[in-house]
Amino acid sequence: MNPGLQTAPGYGGSGALTESRNRVLRNTYWLLALSMVPTVLGAWIGVSTGLARAMSPGIGLIVFLVGAFGFMFAIEKTKNSAAGVPILLAFTFFMGLMLSRLLATILGMKNGTGIVMTAFGGTAAIFFVMATLSSVIKR
């Protein structure tokens, strides 16, 4: 057996299984991190332009539901093709755009920037800890 490959304790399998699992985890976390870019971009464009705020609550709900379910359907249909990742990134952009109405309301408060930055920092910290744990723990 190759000494560079380790088998996870308690699991019957080869070291290649562990290496493959680690590669999948690494790719998943990279995709999660990458998906934050269009989310932030969509939220920034939405807050800057006031696009989501311009829609009435009823129209906004319909746009959200049609867009969200449409993107989820498209992601499911393209999950095993090269088109899956761009559609996922478009979905995260759309969700950021839909989140902009809430963000604009929060940012309009006296301590709104602090609230948003606390939520951002907490999310980033939890993401970092979970990514580290999944890479370090050998179970």
Side-chain angles (χ1 to χ4, degrees), residues 22-139:
N22 288 342
R23 186 178 65 245
V24 168
L25 276 172
R26 186 174 48 250
N27 290 343
T28 300
Y29 280 111
W30 272 111
L31 186 58
L32 262 169
L34 176 66
S35 71
M36 291 303 294
V37 174
T39 304
V40 170
L41 184 64
W44 178 71
I45 289 172
V47 169
S48 298
T49 63
L51 184 66
R53 189 172 283 241
M55 290 185 273
S56 69
I59 297 295
L61 177 65
I62 291 169
V63 169
F64 173 77
L65 289 174
V66 169
F69 283 111
F71 273 118
M72 286 183 231
F73 178 79
I75 290 167
E76 179 63 29
K77 290 296 180 188
T78 60
K79 68 182 175 185
N80 295 321
S81 72
V85 173
I87 290 176
L88 174 70
L89 297 179
F91 172 69
T92 60
F93 177 83
F94 173 77
M95 293 308 263
L97 201 59
M98 291 291 105
L99 187 66
S100 65
R101 186 175 193 158
L102 174 66
L103 281 175
T105 302
I106 299 296
L107 289 172
M109 295 177 173
K110 185 173 73 170
N111 62 341
T113 306
I115 293 170
V116 171
M117 291 311 293
T118 300
F120 173 75
T123 302
I126 290 170
F127 180 80
F128 178 75
V129 168
M130 296 306 290
T132 303
L133 285 174
S134 71
S135 299
V136 172
I137 295 175
K138 302 294 181 195
R139 291 187 68 184

Side-chain angles (χ1 to χ4, degrees), residues 5 14-27:
L5 299 177
S14 68
L17 179 65
T18 302
E19 187 176 314
S20 175
R21 184 176 58 238
N22 288 342
R23 186 178 65 245
V24 168
L25 276 172
R26 186 174 48 250
N27 290 343

